[in-house]
Amino acid sequence: MSDLLDLVRGCTFDDFLFTPQYSVVQRRDPALLDLTSRLSRHLSLKRPLVSANMDTVTRSEMAIAVAEEGGIGIIDRGFRSGEIEPQVREVQIVKRKQHGIIGDPYTIGPDATLAAAAARMRQTGVGTLVVVDDTRRVLGLLTTRDLRFTGTGGAVRSRMTPRERLVTHSGAVEPAGAEELMRTHKVKKLPLINPDGTLRGLITSKDLMVQRQMPFATRDGQGRLRVGAAIGATGDYLERAAELLRAEADVIVIDVAHGHSVVMARAIDAFRKQFGDAELIAGNVATADGVRFLLDRGVDGVKVGIGPGGGCTTRLNTNYGVPQVQALVECRAAAAGRVPLIADGGVRRHGAFVQALTFGGDTVMLGGMLAGTTETPGDTVQKPVVLPESNKTVHVPFKVFRGMASLEAIVDRLDVEDAEAADVEALGAEGMEVSVPARGSVRPLLRDLIKHLCSAISYSGAGSLAEMQEMFRKNPERYVVKLSDSGRRESFDR
Ligand code: XMP
């Protein structure tokens, strides 16, 4: 490893190519190659994709898309300090998007009117209500079909399918078992009932179908999409973590610019004291000491990258940072497999994504690469652009992408309308805001990235992502080609 570290010192993605090896892959098919990777001590992904906790990248729409594509999104904390509810809401939207088993299905009493039932269906957007008595014992099911061609005056009990005519299941069931039951009995809804007759949950064939259509999606034990959420290390961070965990965020990320710090030590200790072993990733660090420091405090994952990000000016403004490939090699050696690493920042082309996974990342966090896609938050604005060939002005749609430490993002986070200009200037920005062309959905982009990863696995001589990483780490000299200036031009200038 020290040879590799010597080789990559001072270097980053554009300094290297990998030598192609004898390929054993018959088809570079993402559905066939195993791309499973570890996000943190207890969480795995089927695709090594993480969308960055930036306020111009990841809110619920992006987190849903990335999780459905097999990765995970981390909801940013770029809401005004003290405003916890908007971030919690984003987490809830993701958690409610898909179900395997609906743990808290909408219910109605047997004596409610059919009009009230219709109104409840409209409000909640669901077409099935479980009819329960005051003690939550299941009495029947009412669906939109039961309301067809009826007046609205009668009571729910007059139109519901009563319990004795329902197919139900007592106790826990896996989605596969539920599907079998529903197929055998030709039903589309399966209420789950506790031994005392009270409601335990509901499974619908529609939900199961969605699950089947997206076999690589990142889901929790109840079939809901997984999502992470970022907090800081000071201010409202513990209260924020409490609310996010209550909303069942799957992982909390303590994200600060310099994670190897006294502030981080205090934050992790306080987090562990209050939330026990809730899944926790912390960062960012870029050195072996930084990784060991976080591991010694019991985190479940580490985010690596100081200053490689597209929206970052940390290195320009402070001269501190570590080129990302060096950081990844150094941090991987220090982590020694104890917890997974997220390679965070600097991935601007698909080949760099492959490098991030090869040199040290278990997963890769993407910010700028996803910027401008439909799923990113923020408005699209039309900006005039002069075409050089014709000197004509056309209007092109743009979206904003900005570093979370940019002055603009800080100003939005603080309620600074009344603040003195000097206070705002004193904040010391380490990021910038840029306009990026607005483009279509992020999904084809993520699929392309994954296809290119599969091709890279084929070139590497491996049969899976884990094998590619293992083969490289056992024998890096076999792979690494350090580029000359002309080699770099030949490789990447297009
Ligand atoms: P990419 O290159 O994918 O990087 O856009 C995303 C990562 O950049 C980091 N980030 C920042 N770093 N100042 C910084 O020094 C900032 O203002 C800033 N905003 C984001 C962050 O780690 C993100 O995941």
Side-chain angles (χ1 to χ4, degrees), residues 338-397:
R338 282 163 68 195
V339 298
L341 304 181
I342 301 176
D344 178 18
V347 171
R348 297 190 238 292
R349 55 180 175 81
H350 294 194
F353 177 71
V354 172
Q355 283 179 304
L357 291 167
T358 307
F359 279 118
D362 292 275
T363 58
V364 181
M365 181 172 261
L366 301 168
M369 191 181 271
L370 314 183
T373 56
T374 321
E375 290 83 354
T376 57
D379 296 331
T380 301
V381 291
Q382 303 288 331
K383 286 195 172 186
V385 172
V386 180
L387 297 176
E389 316 86 59
S390 58
N391 230 10
K392 262 197 187 147
T393 302
V394 291
H395 281 82
V396 179

Short mmCIF file of all heavy atoms in Angstrom, two decimals, residues 338-397:
data_model
loop_
_atom_site.label_atom_id
_atom_site.label_comp_id
_atom_site.label_asym_id
_atom_site.label_seq_id
_atom_site.Cartn_x
_atom_site.Cartn_y
_atom_site.Cartn_z
N ARG A 338 -12.61 -1.45 8.40
CA ARG A 338 -13.46 -1.39 9.61
C ARG A 338 -14.83 -0.78 9.30
O ARG A 338 -15.84 -1.24 9.81
CB ARG A 338 -12.78 -0.59 10.72
CG ARG A 338 -11.68 -1.41 11.43
CD ARG A 338 -10.75 -0.52 12.22
NE ARG A 338 -11.37 0.11 13.37
CZ ARG A 338 -10.83 1.13 14.02
NH1 ARG A 338 -9.66 1.63 13.64
NH2 ARG A 338 -11.45 1.65 15.06
N VAL A 339 -14.85 0.28 8.52
CA VAL A 339 -16.15 0.80 8.05
C VAL A 339 -15.97 1.25 6.59
O VAL A 339 -14.86 1.53 6.16
CB VAL A 339 -16.68 2.01 8.87
CG1 VAL A 339 -16.92 1.65 10.32
CG2 VAL A 339 -15.80 3.22 8.72
N PRO A 340 -17.08 1.32 5.85
CA PRO A 340 -16.97 1.76 4.45
C PRO A 340 -16.69 3.26 4.33
O PRO A 340 -16.99 4.03 5.25
CB PRO A 340 -18.36 1.44 3.88
CG PRO A 340 -19.04 0.60 4.89
CD PRO A 340 -18.43 0.90 6.21
N LEU A 341 -16.15 3.62 3.17
CA LEU A 341 -15.86 5.03 2.88
C LEU A 341 -16.73 5.52 1.72
O LEU A 341 -16.93 4.80 0.74
CB LEU A 341 -14.40 5.21 2.45
CG LEU A 341 -13.31 4.70 3.39
CD1 LEU A 341 -11.93 4.99 2.78
CD2 LEU A 341 -13.42 5.35 4.77
N ILE A 342 -17.20 6.75 1.85
CA ILE A 342 -17.88 7.40 0.72
C ILE A 342 -16.88 8.36 0.09
O ILE A 342 -16.36 9.25 0.77
CB ILE A 342 -19.10 8.22 1.20
CG1 ILE A 342 -20.11 7.33 1.92
CG2 ILE A 342 -19.76 8.93 0.02
CD1 ILE A 342 -21.30 8.08 2.51
N ALA A 343 -16.58 8.16 -1.19
CA ALA A 343 -15.71 9.10 -1.91
C ALA A 343 -16.56 10.30 -2.29
O ALA A 343 -17.48 10.17 -3.09
CB ALA A 343 -15.15 8.42 -3.15
N ASP A 344 -16.27 11.44 -1.71
CA ASP A 344 -17.16 12.59 -1.87
C ASP A 344 -16.48 13.73 -2.61
O ASP A 344 -15.61 14.40 -2.06
CB ASP A 344 -17.62 13.06 -0.48
CG ASP A 344 -18.50 14.30 -0.56
OD1 ASP A 344 -19.03 14.58 -1.65
OD2 ASP A 344 -18.66 14.98 0.47
N GLY A 345 -16.90 13.94 -3.86
CA GLY A 345 -16.49 15.14 -4.57
C GLY A 345 -15.47 14.92 -5.67
O GLY A 345 -14.70 13.96 -5.66
N GLY A 346 -15.54 15.80 -6.66
CA GLY A 346 -14.53 15.83 -7.71
C GLY A 346 -14.82 14.90 -8.88
O GLY A 346 -14.03 14.85 -9.83
N VAL A 347 -15.94 14.16 -8.84
CA VAL A 347 -16.23 13.22 -9.92
C VAL A 347 -16.99 13.97 -11.02
O VAL A 347 -18.17 14.23 -10.90
CB VAL A 347 -17.04 12.02 -9.40
CG1 VAL A 347 -17.53 11.14 -10.54
CG2 VAL A 347 -16.17 11.21 -8.45
N ARG A 348 -16.27 14.31 -12.08
CA ARG A 348 -16.89 15.12 -13.13
C ARG A 348 -17.08 14.34 -14.42
O ARG A 348 -17.70 14.80 -15.35
CB ARG A 348 -16.05 16.38 -13.39
CG ARG A 348 -15.98 17.27 -12.18
CD ARG A 348 -15.38 18.62 -12.48
NE ARG A 348 -14.21 18.89 -11.67
CZ ARG A 348 -14.22 19.08 -10.36
NH1 ARG A 348 -15.33 19.00 -9.67
NH2 ARG A 348 -13.10 19.33 -9.70
N ARG A 349 -16.48 13.16 -14.52
CA ARG A 349 -16.72 12.30 -15.69
C ARG A 349 -16.90 10.87 -15.19
O ARG A 349 -16.46 10.55 -14.07
CB ARG A 349 -15.59 12.42 -16.72
CG ARG A 349 -14.24 12.15 -16.16
CD ARG A 349 -13.11 12.27 -17.16
NE ARG A 349 -11.85 12.09 -16.46
CZ ARG A 349 -11.34 10.92 -16.14
NH1 ARG A 349 -11.96 9.82 -16.49
NH2 ARG A 349 -10.21 10.84 -15.46
N HIS A 350 -17.50 10.03 -16.02
CA HIS A 350 -17.84 8.68 -15.56
C HIS A 350 -16.60 7.87 -15.19
O HIS A 350 -16.63 7.05 -14.28
CB HIS A 350 -18.68 7.97 -16.61
CG HIS A 350 -20.03 8.61 -16.80
ND1 HIS A 350 -21.06 8.01 -17.46
CD2 HIS A 350 -20.51 9.81 -16.38
CE1 HIS A 350 -22.12 8.81 -17.46
NE2 HIS A 350 -21.80 9.91 -16.82
N GLY A 351 -15.51 8.11 -15.91
CA GLY A 351 -14.27 7.38 -15.59
C GLY A 351 -13.78 7.69 -14.19
O GLY A 351 -13.21 6.83 -13.50
N ALA A 352 -14.01 8.92 -13.74
CA ALA A 352 -13.57 9.29 -12.39
C ALA A 352 -14.42 8.58 -11.34
O ALA A 352 -13.95 8.28 -10.24
CB ALA A 352 -13.65 10.81 -12.21
N PHE A 353 -15.67 8.30 -11.67
CA PHE A 353 -16.55 7.52 -10.77
C PHE A 353 -15.93 6.13 -10.56
O PHE A 353 -15.83 5.64 -9.44
CB PHE A 353 -17.92 7.42 -11.46
CG PHE A 353 -18.96 6.61 -10.75
CD1 PHE A 353 -19.53 7.05 -9.57
CD2 PHE A 353 -19.39 5.40 -11.28
CE1 PHE A 353 -20.51 6.30 -8.92
CE2 PHE A 353 -20.37 4.65 -10.64
CZ PHE A 353 -20.93 5.11 -9.46
N VAL A 354 -15.46 5.53 -11.67
CA VAL A 354 -14.81 4.22 -11.58
C VAL A 354 -13.54 4.32 -10.73
O VAL A 354 -13.28 3.47 -9.87
CB VAL A 354 -14.47 3.71 -13.01
CG1 VAL A 354 -13.62 2.44 -12.95
CG2 VAL A 354 -15.74 3.50 -13.81
N GLN A 355 -12.78 5.39 -10.94
CA GLN A 355 -11.55 5.55 -10.16
C GLN A 355 -11.85 5.72 -8.67
O GLN A 355 -11.15 5.16 -7.82
CB GLN A 355 -10.79 6.79 -10.63
CG GLN A 355 -10.04 6.57 -11.92
CD GLN A 355 -9.34 7.84 -12.33
OE1 GLN A 355 -9.97 8.88 -12.47
NE2 GLN A 355 -8.04 7.77 -12.51
N ALA A 356 -12.88 6.51 -8.37
CA ALA A 356 -13.22 6.75 -6.96
C ALA A 356 -13.53 5.42 -6.26
O ALA A 356 -13.14 5.21 -5.11
CB ALA A 356 -14.42 7.70 -6.86
N LEU A 357 -14.20 4.52 -6.99
CA LEU A 357 -14.54 3.21 -6.40
C LEU A 357 -13.33 2.30 -6.35
O LEU A 357 -13.24 1.41 -5.51
CB LEU A 357 -15.63 2.54 -7.25
CG LEU A 357 -17.01 3.19 -7.17
CD1 LEU A 357 -17.91 2.66 -8.28
CD2 LEU A 357 -17.64 2.96 -5.80
N THR A 358 -12.39 2.51 -7.25
CA THR A 358 -11.23 1.62 -7.32
C THR A 358 -10.17 2.03 -6.29
O THR A 358 -9.63 1.19 -5.58
CB THR A 358 -10.63 1.67 -8.74
OG1 THR A 358 -11.66 1.40 -9.69
CG2 THR A 358 -9.52 0.65 -8.91
N PHE A 359 -9.90 3.31 -6.19
CA PHE A 359 -8.83 3.77 -5.31
C PHE A 359 -9.21 3.70 -3.83
O PHE A 359 -8.34 3.62 -2.98
CB PHE A 359 -8.41 5.20 -5.66
CG PHE A 359 -7.48 5.27 -6.83
CD1 PHE A 359 -7.84 5.94 -8.00
CD2 PHE A 359 -6.22 4.68 -6.78
CE1 PHE A 359 -6.97 6.02 -9.08
CE2 PHE A 359 -5.34 4.76 -7.85
CZ PHE A 359 -5.72 5.42 -9.01
N GLY A 360 -10.50 3.78 -3.51
CA GLY A 360 -10.77 3.75 -2.07
C GLY A 360 -12.22 3.85 -1.66
O GLY A 360 -12.58 3.46 -0.55
N GLY A 361 -13.07 4.36 -2.51
CA GLY A 361 -14.47 4.54 -2.11
C GLY A 361 -15.24 3.23 -2.18
O GLY A 361 -15.04 2.44 -3.10
N ASP A 362 -16.12 3.01 -1.20
CA ASP A 362 -17.07 1.90 -1.33
C ASP A 362 -18.27 2.40 -2.13
O ASP A 362 -18.87 1.65 -2.88
CB ASP A 362 -17.52 1.44 0.06
CG ASP A 362 -16.37 0.79 0.80
OD1 ASP A 362 -16.15 -0.41 0.60
OD2 ASP A 362 -15.65 1.51 1.52
N THR A 363 -18.61 3.66 -1.92
CA THR A 363 -19.66 4.31 -2.71
C THR A 363 -19.12 5.68 -3.11
O THR A 363 -18.08 6.12 -2.60
CB THR A 363 -20.95 4.51 -1.89
OG1 THR A 363 -20.61 5.30 -0.74
CG2 THR A 363 -21.56 3.20 -1.46
N VAL A 364 -19.86 6.37 -3.99
CA VAL A 364 -19.41 7.69 -4.44
C VAL A 364 -20.54 8.70 -4.26
O VAL A 364 -21.68 8.43 -4.67
CB VAL A 364 -19.00 7.65 -5.93
CG1 VAL A 364 -18.50 9.02 -6.39
CG2 VAL A 364 -17.94 6.59 -6.17
N MET A 365 -20.21 9.84 -3.67
CA MET A 365 -21.19 10.90 -3.52
C MET A 365 -21.04 11.88 -4.69
O MET A 365 -19.94 12.31 -5.00
CB MET A 365 -21.00 11.62 -2.19
CG MET A 365 -22.01 12.73 -1.96
SD MET A 365 -21.93 13.44 -0.30
CE MET A 365 -23.26 12.58 0.50
N LEU A 366 -22.19 12.19 -5.33
CA LEU A 366 -22.17 13.06 -6.51
C LEU A 366 -22.96 14.33 -6.25
O LEU A 366 -24.08 14.28 -5.76
CB LEU A 366 -22.81 12.33 -7.69
CG LEU A 366 -22.16 11.01 -8.10
CD1 LEU A 366 -23.06 10.27 -9.08
CD2 LEU A 366 -20.79 11.26 -8.71
N GLY A 367 -22.35 15.46 -6.60
CA GLY A 367 -23.05 16.74 -6.49
C GLY A 367 -23.22 17.32 -7.89
O GLY A 367 -24.25 17.17 -8.53
N GLY A 368 -22.16 17.95 -8.36
CA GLY A 368 -22.19 18.66 -9.64
C GLY A 368 -22.64 17.79 -10.81
O GLY A 368 -23.29 18.29 -11.74
N MET A 369 -22.32 16.51 -10.77
CA MET A 369 -22.69 15.66 -11.91
C MET A 369 -24.21 15.55 -12.05
O MET A 369 -24.72 15.33 -13.13
CB MET A 369 -22.09 14.27 -11.75
CG MET A 369 -22.22 13.45 -13.02
SD MET A 369 -21.54 11.83 -12.85
CE MET A 369 -19.86 12.11 -13.35
N LEU A 370 -24.92 15.73 -10.96
CA LEU A 370 -26.38 15.62 -11.01
C LEU A 370 -27.05 17.00 -11.19
O LEU A 370 -28.28 17.08 -11.37
CB LEU A 370 -26.91 14.97 -9.72
CG LEU A 370 -26.16 13.72 -9.23
CD1 LEU A 370 -26.85 13.16 -7.99
CD2 LEU A 370 -26.12 12.66 -10.33
N ALA A 371 -26.24 18.05 -11.12
CA ALA A 371 -26.80 19.42 -11.15
C ALA A 371 -27.56 19.67 -12.44
O ALA A 371 -27.20 19.17 -13.51
CB ALA A 371 -25.66 20.43 -11.01
N GLY A 372 -28.63 20.44 -12.32
CA GLY A 372 -29.40 20.84 -13.49
C GLY A 372 -30.44 19.83 -13.93
O GLY A 372 -31.28 20.12 -14.78
N THR A 373 -30.43 18.61 -13.34
CA THR A 373 -31.42 17.62 -13.76
C THR A 373 -32.79 17.98 -13.17
O THR A 373 -32.88 18.75 -12.21
CB THR A 373 -31.04 16.19 -13.32
OG1 THR A 373 -30.85 16.20 -11.91
CG2 THR A 373 -29.76 15.74 -14.00
N THR A 374 -33.83 17.38 -13.73
CA THR A 374 -35.20 17.71 -13.32
C THR A 374 -35.42 17.49 -11.83
O THR A 374 -36.18 18.21 -11.20
CB THR A 374 -36.19 16.78 -14.06
OG1 THR A 374 -35.73 16.62 -15.39
CG2 THR A 374 -37.59 17.33 -14.06
N GLU A 375 -34.77 16.47 -11.28
CA GLU A 375 -35.04 16.11 -9.88
C GLU A 375 -34.32 17.03 -8.89
O GLU A 375 -34.54 16.91 -7.69
CB GLU A 375 -34.62 14.66 -9.62
CG GLU A 375 -35.51 13.62 -10.29
CD GLU A 375 -35.15 13.35 -11.75
OE1 GLU A 375 -34.27 14.07 -12.29
OE2 GLU A 375 -35.72 12.44 -12.36
N THR A 376 -33.46 17.92 -9.36
CA THR A 376 -32.80 18.83 -8.41
C THR A 376 -33.79 19.92 -8.00
O THR A 376 -34.66 20.31 -8.79
CB THR A 376 -31.55 19.51 -9.02
OG1 THR A 376 -31.94 20.22 -10.21
CG2 THR A 376 -30.47 18.51 -9.36
N PRO A 377 -33.67 20.41 -6.76
CA PRO A 377 -34.56 21.49 -6.33
C PRO A 377 -34.20 22.81 -7.03
O PRO A 377 -33.11 22.93 -7.59
CB PRO A 377 -34.28 21.61 -4.84
CG PRO A 377 -33.21 20.65 -4.50
CD PRO A 377 -32.72 19.99 -5.73
N GLY A 378 -35.09 23.74 -6.98
CA GLY A 378 -34.80 25.07 -7.51
C GLY A 378 -35.49 25.33 -8.83
O GLY A 378 -35.88 24.40 -9.54
N ASP A 379 -35.64 26.63 -9.13
CA ASP A 379 -36.36 27.02 -10.34
C ASP A 379 -35.46 26.96 -11.56
O ASP A 379 -34.24 27.09 -11.45
CB ASP A 379 -36.86 28.47 -10.19
CG ASP A 379 -37.88 28.55 -9.06
OD1 ASP A 379 -38.56 27.54 -8.81
OD2 ASP A 379 -37.94 29.62 -8.41
N THR A 380 -36.10 26.80 -12.70
CA THR A 380 -35.37 26.90 -13.97
C THR A 380 -35.56 28.33 -14.47
O THR A 380 -36.68 28.84 -14.49
CB THR A 380 -35.97 25.91 -14.99
OG1 THR A 380 -35.85 24.60 -14.42
CG2 THR A 380 -35.24 25.94 -16.30
N VAL A 381 -34.45 28.98 -14.83
CA VAL A 381 -34.58 30.34 -15.38
C VAL A 381 -34.04 30.37 -16.81
O VAL A 381 -33.10 29.64 -17.14
CB VAL A 381 -33.84 31.39 -14.52
CG1 VAL A 381 -34.48 31.59 -13.19
CG2 VAL A 381 -32.37 31.02 -14.37
N GLN A 382 -34.67 31.18 -17.64
CA GLN A 382 -34.22 31.32 -19.03
C GLN A 382 -33.18 32.43 -19.08
O GLN A 382 -33.43 33.54 -18.65
CB GLN A 382 -35.41 31.71 -19.93
CG GLN A 382 -36.58 30.75 -19.87
CD GLN A 382 -36.29 29.43 -20.59
OE1 GLN A 382 -35.50 29.39 -21.53
NE2 GLN A 382 -36.90 28.34 -20.13
N LYS A 383 -32.00 32.09 -19.60
CA LYS A 383 -30.96 33.12 -19.69
C LYS A 383 -30.57 33.32 -21.15
O LYS A 383 -30.47 32.33 -21.89
CB LYS A 383 -29.71 32.69 -18.92
CG LYS A 383 -29.87 32.78 -17.42
CD LYS A 383 -28.51 32.68 -16.78
CE LYS A 383 -28.64 32.96 -15.29
NZ LYS A 383 -27.35 33.01 -14.65
N PRO A 384 -30.32 34.59 -21.54
CA PRO A 384 -29.91 34.81 -22.93
C PRO A 384 -28.48 34.33 -23.15
O PRO A 384 -27.60 34.60 -22.34
CB PRO A 384 -30.01 36.32 -23.08
CG PRO A 384 -29.95 36.86 -21.70
CD PRO A 384 -30.42 35.80 -20.76
N VAL A 385 -28.27 33.60 -24.23
CA VAL A 385 -26.92 33.12 -24.56
C VAL A 385 -26.66 33.48 -26.02
O VAL A 385 -27.50 33.25 -26.88
CB VAL A 385 -26.82 31.59 -24.38
CG1 VAL A 385 -25.51 31.05 -24.90
CG2 VAL A 385 -27.02 31.21 -22.93
N VAL A 386 -25.48 34.07 -26.29
CA VAL A 386 -25.14 34.44 -27.67
C VAL A 386 -24.42 33.27 -28.33
O VAL A 386 -23.43 32.77 -27.81
CB VAL A 386 -24.25 35.71 -27.69
CG1 VAL A 386 -23.91 36.09 -29.13
CG2 VAL A 386 -24.92 36.86 -26.96
N LEU A 387 -24.96 32.81 -29.48
CA LEU A 387 -24.33 31.71 -30.20
C LEU A 387 -23.12 32.26 -30.97
O LEU A 387 -23.27 33.20 -31.75
CB LEU A 387 -25.31 31.08 -31.19
CG LEU A 387 -26.56 30.43 -30.60
CD1 LEU A 387 -27.48 29.95 -31.71
CD2 LEU A 387 -26.17 29.28 -29.69
N PRO A 388 -21.94 31.69 -30.74
CA PRO A 388 -20.75 32.26 -31.38
C PRO A 388 -20.79 32.19 -32.91
O PRO A 388 -20.33 33.11 -33.58
CB PRO A 388 -19.59 31.42 -30.82
CG PRO A 388 -20.20 30.29 -30.08
CD PRO A 388 -21.65 30.56 -29.87
N GLU A 389 -21.41 31.12 -33.47
CA GLU A 389 -21.38 30.98 -34.93
C GLU A 389 -22.20 32.06 -35.63
O GLU A 389 -21.77 32.65 -36.62
CB GLU A 389 -21.95 29.63 -35.40
CG GLU A 389 -21.53 28.40 -34.63
CD GLU A 389 -22.39 28.13 -33.42
OE1 GLU A 389 -23.60 27.95 -33.58
OE2 GLU A 389 -21.84 28.11 -32.30
N SER A 390 -23.39 32.33 -35.06
CA SER A 390 -24.29 33.23 -35.78
C SER A 390 -24.46 34.58 -35.09
O SER A 390 -25.09 35.48 -35.65
CB SER A 390 -25.66 32.57 -35.87
OG SER A 390 -26.10 32.30 -34.54
N ASN A 391 -23.89 34.69 -33.90
CA ASN A 391 -24.07 35.91 -33.10
C ASN A 391 -25.53 36.13 -32.70
O ASN A 391 -25.90 37.21 -32.26
CB ASN A 391 -23.56 37.13 -33.88
CG ASN A 391 -22.62 37.93 -32.99
OD1 ASN A 391 -22.24 37.46 -31.92
ND2 ASN A 391 -22.26 39.12 -33.44
N LYS A 392 -26.32 35.09 -32.86
CA LYS A 392 -27.74 35.19 -32.49
C LYS A 392 -27.90 34.97 -31.00
O LYS A 392 -27.14 34.18 -30.41
CB LYS A 392 -28.54 34.10 -33.21
CG LYS A 392 -29.22 34.55 -34.45
CD LYS A 392 -30.28 33.53 -34.79
CE LYS A 392 -30.90 33.84 -36.13
NZ LYS A 392 -31.27 32.63 -36.83
N THR A 393 -28.91 35.62 -30.40
CA THR A 393 -29.18 35.39 -28.97
C THR A 393 -30.32 34.39 -28.83
O THR A 393 -31.38 34.57 -29.45
CB THR A 393 -29.56 36.71 -28.29
OG1 THR A 393 -28.48 37.62 -28.48
CG2 THR A 393 -29.82 36.52 -26.80
N VAL A 394 -30.08 33.34 -28.05
CA VAL A 394 -31.17 32.40 -27.77
C VAL A 394 -31.35 32.34 -26.26
O VAL A 394 -30.45 32.70 -25.50
CB VAL A 394 -30.86 30.97 -28.29
CG1 VAL A 394 -30.85 30.92 -29.79
CG2 VAL A 394 -29.56 30.46 -27.72
N HIS A 395 -32.55 31.87 -25.85
CA HIS A 395 -32.77 31.73 -24.41
C HIS A 395 -32.61 30.27 -24.01
O HIS A 395 -33.20 29.39 -24.62
CB HIS A 395 -34.14 32.28 -24.01
CG HIS A 395 -34.10 33.77 -23.92
ND1 HIS A 395 -34.21 34.57 -25.03
CD2 HIS A 395 -33.90 34.58 -22.85
CE1 HIS A 395 -34.10 35.84 -24.64
NE2 HIS A 395 -33.92 35.87 -23.32
N VAL A 396 -31.75 30.04 -23.03
CA VAL A 396 -31.43 28.67 -22.63
C VAL A 396 -31.85 28.49 -21.16
O VAL A 396 -31.60 29.39 -20.34
CB VAL A 396 -29.91 28.42 -22.77
CG1 VAL A 396 -29.54 27.02 -22.32
CG2 VAL A 396 -29.47 28.66 -24.21
N PRO A 397 -32.49 27.35 -20.84
CA PRO A 397 -32.89 27.14 -19.44
C PRO A 397 -31.69 26.75 -18.55
O PRO A 397 -30.88 25.90 -18.93
CB PRO A 397 -33.89 25.99 -19.52
CG PRO A 397 -33.60 25.30 -20.80
CD PRO A 397 -32.92 26.26 -21.72
#
